[in-house]
Amino acid sequence: MSVIRSPLPGTFYHKPAPDLPPFKAEGDPVAVGDVIGLVEVMKSFMEVKAEVAGTVVRFLVDNEAPVTAGAVLVELAD
Amino acid sequence: MALTRLFIANRGEIAVRINRSATALGLETVQAYSEADAEMLAVGMATDAVCIGPAPAKASYLVADRIVAAAKDAGCDAVHPGYGFLAENAAFAEAVETAGMVFVGPKPETIRAMGDKAAARAAAIAAGVPVVPGSDGLVADIAATIAAAETVGYPVMVKATAGGGGRGIRIAETEEDLRRLAPQAQAEALAAFGDGGLYLERVIRNARHIEVQILGDGQRAVHCFERECSLQRRRQKVWEEAPAACLNAETRAKLCASAVALAESVHYRGAGTLEYLYDETTGAFYFIEMNTRIQVEHPVTEMVTGIDLIEEMLRIAGGEPLRLRQEDITLTGHAIEARINAEDPANGFMPFPGVVGALSIPEGPDLRFDGMLYEGYAIPPFYDSLLGKLIARGATRIEAIDRLKAALAETRIEGVKTTIPLHLSLADAPEVRSGAVHTQFLEPWLASVQLAAE
């Protein structure tokens, strides 16, 4: 089991835009470099990229919920 | 002062600024704050504070109904909206007045009229204020396009009426260009927006952004001279000055008189700013839009005129007639404001929220810092990155630049990256020192220089 953490504090988004599907859903494969979500910080949007590969087990932060720097966003199964 | 208790429907440095002037006038203040802003400086300054919702602005500072109810419940008789958020929302201004309170700003119908670009342009034309030359509405076909371009003058911009995001825009230097480019613009607009309607506007090359500060009481208006805000990054102002050093006395007088004429023609109430493009090669100025609120860069005007604009806004909102006569308002020296943002200029201006460590803000004659910082303050990531504004005044523009530079070099804001290195580089840039800048200057300049790490 590995995790992906938020690099910055802000607001976490699962989707690239409100009317688009999420970057990743539970059960989806994740490759190194895949975008798994966005963090909005001071009105700028930063992509959160996977540094490890795996399969999405679950998101620990809801769409549009606040996050702190270092908070676990996603759990991945190996 | 007819008002007694003011609700401040904003956050950050402008909330601090409004609290100060209101308190000096003997008003009680009630500060709105979101769940993420409970520790902000203005909360501690205000007589009372009220939480208006969760961190995201759309769940707190942008919820008009909740803010009006909170202000009413807190026993306030007026609401100051600051800038951004609901400051230029006519429905909010209306709701404040319907609830029996005073909106510190213009009447809702003025906000509505001046917020609509076409309506504002029409009001300017009616008041005899020059606007960017353009076709009289849509152009029907190629022949009409060519004819309109003859009147407007080359170079012209062909724009799709339904356009957006830069699509459906072409710049034509000559008639030959226009014959080739207009059909392209039309096809692109038709494909993208399903509407091929085109209009023309003169291209103002290397324009400067100049804006006039006005105050009105609904009957009479005065100007407090102009500011130049040509140094912009991604359409955000970075460094602002008052007055605009590029204007001669005659042009300044005409520009400021045009702003007063437009403000009086719409019976403007409160503080407002008329934005213009200035073509230095011809000395012509063109009205582009009006901001019906206090602006971030208002301190440079205060530094060169000695007027407290927030105080005047509150007095006018309290029903006092405008107490300033035009002949009482004079310019003394030159002032410059550097916006200090929590961004890392050495890393693409990446936002940098964090906890403020050791803090040292210089003080001295002709220096001012409008901020919201204290040691240990955790800057929330949910709002804009403005930390404060350092403003320096000098007898001359160069003296102001040098005083600003010395103050910037002395400023310490530990714990976060800031845009201070950008301002230090700008203060040394020959183009900035000589004043040879325009709205398209900063971004290419940034690409060409290596900003020193803080």
Side-chain angles (χ1 to χ4, degrees), chain A residues 8-11 13 40-44 46 64 66-67, chain B residues 56 58 342 350-353 379-385:
Chain A
L8 286 160
T11 305
Y13 294 87
E40 181 187 4
V41 50
M42 293 176 157
K43 296 184 171 180
S44 294
M46 307 288 161
E64 295 189 31
V67 283
Chain B
K58 67 179 177 188
M350 170 91 88
F352 208 100
I379 301 159
F382 307 106
Y383 313 103
D384 68 37
S385 59

Side-chain angles (χ1 to χ4, degrees), chain B residues 31-82:
Chain B
Q31 179 62 52
Y33 66 95
S34 73
E35 286 168 11
D37 270 342
E39 303 301 320
M40 75 179 178
L41 194 57
V43 167
M45 297 171 71
T47 317
D48 288 302
V50 182
C51 183
I52 51 159
K58 67 179 177 188
S60 50
Y61 298 106
L62 290 172
V63 186
D65 296 354
R66 199 175 313 154
I67 291 170
V68 172
K72 198 72 189 160
D73 287 350
C76 292
D77 49 15
V79 176
H80 199 307

Side-chain angles (χ1 to χ4, degrees), chain B residues 45-371:
Chain B
M45 297 171 71
T47 317
D48 288 302
V50 182
C51 183
I52 51 159
K58 67 179 177 188
S60 50
Y61 298 106
L62 290 172
V63 186
D65 296 354
R66 199 175 313 154
I67 291 170
V68 172
K72 198 72 189 160
D73 287 350
C76 292
D77 49 15
V79 176
H80 199 307
Y83 52 65
F85 298 129
L86 297 169
E88 290 173 279
N89 183 310
F92 176 64
E94 217 155 54
V96 168
E97 296 198 339
T98 303
M101 297 177 289
V102 176
F103 178 76
V104 183
K107 292 193 273 295
E109 55 266 33
T110 315
I111 298 175
R112 206 165 273 135
M114 299 317 275
D116 178 296
K117 282 203 179 191
R121 182 179 164 101
I125 293 169
V129 177
V131 296
V132 179
S135 57
D136 191 13
L138 297 183
V139 284
D141 51 26
I142 289 294
T145 307
I146 304 287
E150 288 303 320
T151 316
V152 166
Y154 289 94
V156 294
M157 201 176 336
V158 193
K159 285 177 153 179
T161 188
R167 282 183 298 185
I169 293 182
R170 292 288 187 281
I171 290 175
E173 305 282 344
T174 61
E175 185 183 322
E176 196 189 335
D177 277 359
L178 188 57
R179 284 187 187 279
R180 187 167 49 85
L181 296 172
Q184 287 179 16
Q186 189 161 38
E188 195 171 297
L190 204 55
F193 314 110
D195 179 347
L198 296 181
Y199 66 100
L200 287 184
E201 232 175 60
R202 163 104 52 85
V203 175
I204 316 292
R205 283 268 154 77
N206 298 340
R208 289 173 181 264
H209 175 111
I210 294 182
E211 55 186 36
V212 180
Q213 176 70 55
I214 61 103
L215 285 168
D217 61 10
Q219 303 297 319
R220 196 168 63 83
V222 293
H223 69 79
C224 305
F225 295 96
E226 80 287 353
R227 299 182 282 264
E228 174 165 5
C229 320
S230 294
L231 291 174
Q232 302 183 7
R233 180 179 170 271
R234 296 190 176 169
R235 304 184 72 92
Q236 294 290 309
K237 295 164 188 168
V238 164
W239 159 303
E240 302 105 338
E241 308 192 12
C246 58
L247 297 183
N248 62 32
E250 189 194 345
T251 308
R252 172 171 299 121
K254 274 193 208 159
L255 171 78
C256 293
S258 83
V260 171
L262 179 47
E264 287 190 340
S265 78
V266 299
H267 304 289
Y268 197 82
R269 182 185 78 190
T273 295
L274 293 97
E275 296 191 336
Y276 295 81
L277 292 178
Y278 178 61
D279 184 344
E280 203 174 7
T281 55
T282 62
F285 54 83
Y286 307 101
F287 169 79
I288 44 174
E289 64 181 82
M290 180 166 195
N291 299 318
T292 57
R293 54 169 156 84
I294 193 71
Q295 291 197 249
V296 176
E297 60 273 23
H298 76 276
V300 287
T301 297
E302 297 184 327
M303 290 287 270
V304 293
T305 61
I307 295 167
D308 179 336
L309 291 167
I310 303 283
E311 176 183 349
E312 298 308 320
M313 288 179 93
L314 291 170
R315 287 183 179 279
I316 293 163
E320 288 182 29
L322 192 59
R323 61 188 186 140
L324 295 158
R325 294 174 306 168
Q326 190 63 62
E327 56 268 34
D328 298 334
I329 304 171
T330 52
L331 274 178
T332 307
H334 192 94
I336 303 177
E337 169 180 286
R339 292 195 193 191
I340 299 177
N341 294 343
E343 294 169 12
D344 182 2
N347 185 18
F349 292 87
M350 170 91 88
F352 208 100
V355 177
V356 178
L359 186 66
S360 173
I361 305 292
E363 289 172 33
D366 291 324
L367 271 186
R368 166 172 168 180
F369 185 77
D370 277 26

